[in-house]
Amino acid sequence: MENNNKIKQVKNICCIGAGYVGGPTMAVIADRCPNIRVDVVDIDKDRIKQWNDKNVKNLPIYEPGLAEIVKRCRGLNLHFSNLIKEKINNADMVFISVNTPTKKKGLGAGKASDLKWVEESARQVAKFAKGHTIVVEKSTLPVRTAEVIQGILNSAELDNDRDEISFDVLSNPEFMAEGTAIKDLEKPDRVLIGGDNLEAMKSLQEIYAGWVPKEKILFTNIWSSELAKLTANAFLAQRISSINSIAALCEATGADVREVSRAIGSDNRIGSKFLESGPGFGGSCFKKDILNLVYLAQYFGLNEVANFWESVVNLNNWNQKRITELIVKKLSGTVTGKKIVILGFAFKANTNDTRESAAIQICKDLIEEGASILIHDPKVIEMQIEKDLQMKQMKEIELSKEHKLFNTNGNWKFSKSLKIFDDAHAVLMLTEWDEYKNIDWLDVSKRMVNRAWVFDARSITDPSKMRNTNLNLWRVGDGTDQ
Ligand code: NAD
Ligand code: UGA
């Protein structure tokens, strides 16, 4: 390959994008490779300010174990800044780790990924890089995006005014999950490197080999690598839609989805992970990546393939609606003016991320139905909930009795404390935070209205702890007493 004699050992990494992936991924690389300088750059000044906050409790991302690493490495070989030009210029390897949300308008709107941030990053690299640079796709991208990036970089290579510059493009998708990001990054099931220049691929392999066993570092061609990432997310999401569909069937038939999961999960071929039924998958990626796959299939005329994967998203949307409808039904057909406590707003436990959280749609629907909802989450801030619900919170939840009777408009309020059960008609558990697992239901039942409901969409309550209370319990997928 013509670039091979230009590839040197990587000493300086620049990562474009200081988000949920760029931040933790680069922190772990810096921690495990003390001889490499890692610069994480972002256009967002506030985000960088938070990454540089002296108090690591104020980092923009909550992820167990992340603050400790940042504390160890920041200012030594891990740096956060807005100095995009300078850091690209110094780098031997540039990771592109920017957002790739679903397109809102134009061709492929609602399904295809919007690549404007990726293309802009590639243009920045083309403009500011020096010497030979290995460009690594870390963002999740549609198949053949590397071609687009290479095209942008090629135009810079051909610019006669620039000193010798050259590029290799690799795909290195990220498989970490939020909430367990550090664990996943430190002990990955595999690291995937897609490319067409073995020397460039080895250069990236060398970095991971600092802590990942070599047999876990897989080499593929670049298109397989891009497609494998979309496929992994689609398969994982498909399992959740599958188990959620069975949960509904369990409720209708008297079966218990936990027992069904255990029974099928003991089959080695099926495996026991990702079989927990819940309110529906959230997170910034599952829906977006499946829709991206659907778009690709449609583009290539594979309509049956597209329909198959689209049904995974459709089932998920249906599942969220089903929970709201069920609550309204159990609360005598109306929630108007009724107080409902929502436990958890993040899309899963151990993260402050709310993107595509099932809580968003469910809370919106309950408010629409006229409920007064009181939301608790240990890590999500009120401002984020306000953005997600597109509605300001009520100043005072304790409405006067008269107001309560005649108030038909739904509303919401946030509470930092868990002392929120007084006069509630229902509790709805949407995120599986540990602190919700040991609630004293006897005490809570005395505060709520008589014969109030607990709707456990995460199946984290122990029904035996409810037995001495006058609460009604609904658990997702539990048909044994419904
Ligand atoms: P994010 O929105 O948290 O972070 C992206 C960052 O990129 C933002 O801070 C944004 O300001 C910055 N950015 C955008 N354009 C830029 C530019 N031109 N120059 C500098 N900075 C720029 O997104 P994320 O969750 O980190 O996801 C990034 C990518 O990784 C996506 O493609 C996603 O699908 C993929 N991914 C995400 C996860 C996850 O758990 N969140 C896991 C695996 C893969
Ligand atoms: C997911 C994948 O697990 C990662 O491998 C991938 O890198 C990442 O997407 C990505 O590309 O962004 P993440 O979305 O962070 O990670 O979290 P998951 O643990 O996969 O959970 C996703 C959603 O599914 C959550 O809402 C979770 O509560 C739900 N879920 C998960 C269930 O309802 N049941 C399960 O059994 C597992």
Side-chain angles (χ1 to χ4, degrees), residues 100-142:
T100 51
T102 305
K103 263 180 108 170
K104 291 211 172 94
K105 54 182 184 185
L107 207 64
K111 288 204 178 81
S113 282
D114 194 338
L115 295 182
K116 71 175 177 223
W117 293 274
V118 171
E119 290 194 11
E120 178 54 22
S121 303
R123 277 193 289 275
Q124 287 166 318
V125 179
K127 201 164 158 196
F128 302 130
K130 195 177 65 191
H132 183 70
T133 310
I134 298 174
V135 179
V136 183
E137 297 176 346
K138 185 50 102 179
S139 297
T140 303
L141 298 168

Side-chain angles (χ1 to χ4, degrees), residues 21 80 84 121 131 138 229 252 259 261 303 342 351 371 388 395 438 475 481:
V21 167
F80 297 91
I84 298 176
S121 303
K138 185 50 102 179
K229 172 62 195 176
E259 294 183 350
S261 288
N303 291 330
I342 305 289
T351 177
D388 290 334
K395 285 268 162 0
N438 296 313
R475 286 195 308 161
D481 58 3

Side-chain angles (χ1 to χ4, degrees), residues 19-21 42 47 99-100 117 124 140 174 178 288 355:
Y20 280 88
V21 167
D42 204 293
R47 213 166 208 189
N99 36 320
T100 51
W117 293 274
Q124 287 166 318
T140 303
E174 186 47 63
E178 288 178 32
K288 141 178 110 59
R355 290 177 290 179

Side-chain angles (χ1 to χ4, degrees), residues 330-331 425-427 448 451-455 471-474:
K330 298 262 189 216
L331 295 183
H425 288 74
V427 176
M448 294 176 73
R451 303 295 298 152
W453 275 90
V454 174
F455 298 101
L471 294 168
N472 291 299
L473 173 66
W474 172 86

Side-chain angles (χ1 to χ4, degrees), residues 174-178 229 233 236 240 274-276 280-282 285-286 289 347-348 458:
E174 186 47 63
F175 295 101
M176 52 147 257
E178 288 178 32
K229 172 62 195 176
N233 274 1
L236 290 169
I240 303 169
F274 261 69
L275 285 179
E276 280 169 31
F281 58 77
C285 295
F286 277 176
D289 293 348
F347 80 96
K348 63 186 280 196
R458 288 289 186 174

Side-chain angles (χ1 to χ4, degrees), residues 436-455:
Y436 302 153
K437 293 179 183 163
N438 296 313
I439 289 176
D440 178 351
W441 289 111
L442 188 57
D443 177 60
V444 168
S445 69
K446 291 176 190 153
R447 299 174 184 282
M448 294 176 73
V449 303
N450 196 27
R451 303 295 298 152
W453 275 90
V454 174
F455 298 101

